[in-house]
């Protein structure tokens, strides 16, 4: 799951800490997360963790964001259909993994809490939607789509992958292609919002 | 959230017990669920709960199933678009509620556990998909749809509602209508699996 990371010592420490956060979250949930254990598992000093992430919520939000970017990136080759199929296949693999399922449970649990973490996780998600919106705006500009609404595209696609993952079972490339074709054809057939 | 229930004493006891299960699940999660507390909150004898639901997993699965049926039913008026819009509006209201969010967190957590509960929750979900498939088969028979795949319809629709609920904010009827229109138009435009 954990791809190798570029960069020097600082990037390496960041990677080790964020990987440790995810491992502990998947094992013990949000309430069990402690800086001491994170530092020990990451093999770094606790003060290095505190200095960079002064709050637990900031640490958790960055771990989620980093996980999503490394494991289900939104590619941009210029071919919207192909990029969406790749994105869904990656998302399907990660959503069906034990770590992905544990993190999804936490996302639901975290988002139902009031306070900083809820806003931070919302920020992670809206950031991804904004990045998809820019990608879609370019697809509209070059004639691949008549209108672009990132949430209306990502909701059905990513949502279908997550619904499937709850059942268990493999999410196939054929299913990703059919889903993308249905949603893109629907957007082309219906006036935008 | 709890609609009134028809039926006699047995149905009333069932309703009180399942409501108590959901309330305790939302408050304490799966691991905190104990028969004693369920019986006390429901105002019934513990033996009545054990007799009807000999395992905790069966009790939890029936509470989920009952909750889904009462709060996000799949209507069948004959007008597929209208029925799907009603279903999504109901689902949007319940998925955005604190109880709905707590139960979704549990569904993710529960489904990632091995064992009986995972199978039981899978059964609840596949039962709903089978019911939707029969509804869709009738829509195909009377010419409203060219092909029917319940998971490929429910995945994008219910999935989009759940993605939206994670962000918080209201799920509007206009959004439900646009989602249903996009997915139905896409299914009409693309060859089936």
């Amino acid at each position: 799951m954990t791809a190798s990371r570029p960069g020097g010592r600082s990037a390496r420490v960041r990677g080790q800490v964020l990987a440790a956060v995810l491992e502990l979250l998947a094992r013990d949930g949000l309430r069990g997360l402690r800086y001491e254990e994170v530092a020990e598992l990451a093999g770094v000093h606790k003060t290095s963790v505190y200095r960079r992430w002064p709050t637990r919520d900031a640490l958790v939000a960055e771990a989620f964001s980093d996980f999503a970017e490394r494991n289900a990136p939104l590619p941009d080759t210029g071919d919207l259909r192909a990029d969406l199929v790749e994105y869904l296949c990656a998302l399907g693999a990660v959503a069906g993994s034990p770590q992905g399922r544990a993190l999804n449970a936490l996302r639901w649990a975290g988002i139902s809490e009031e306070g900083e973490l809820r806003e931070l996780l919302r920020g992670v998600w809206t950031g991804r939607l904004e990045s998809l919106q820019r990608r879609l705006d370019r697809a509209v500009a070059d004639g691949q789509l008549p209108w672009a609404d990132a949430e209306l595209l990502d909701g059905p696609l990513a949502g279908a992958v997550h619904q499937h993952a709850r059942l268990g079972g493999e999410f196939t490339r054929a299913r990703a292609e059919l889903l993308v074709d249905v949603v893109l054809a629907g957007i082309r057939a219906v006036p935008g919002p």
Side-chain angles (χ1 to χ4, degrees), chain A residues 106-124:
Chain A
L106 282 171
R107 260 182 79 184
W108 278 105
I111 212 76
S112 71
E113 288 179 18
E114 293 304 323
E116 196 197 3
L117 182 58
R118 182 182 173 135
E119 288 311 309
L120 286 170
L121 289 178
R122 189 200 297 262
V124 169

Side-chain angles (χ1 to χ4, degrees), chain A residues 50-71:
Chain A
Y50 272 117
R51 202 180 309 125
R52 188 150 180 175
W53 296 279
T55 73
R56 190 201 65 170
D57 288 350
L59 185 57
V60 170
E62 191 166 334
F64 269 88
S65 165
D66 180 70
F67 182 76
E69 262 156 52
R70 279 183 305 118
N71 291 289

Side-chain angles (χ1 to χ4, degrees), chain A residues 12 24 36 81 108 115 148:
Chain A
R12 206 164 55 240
L24 292 171
E36 246 162 47
R81 178 187 185 269
W108 278 105

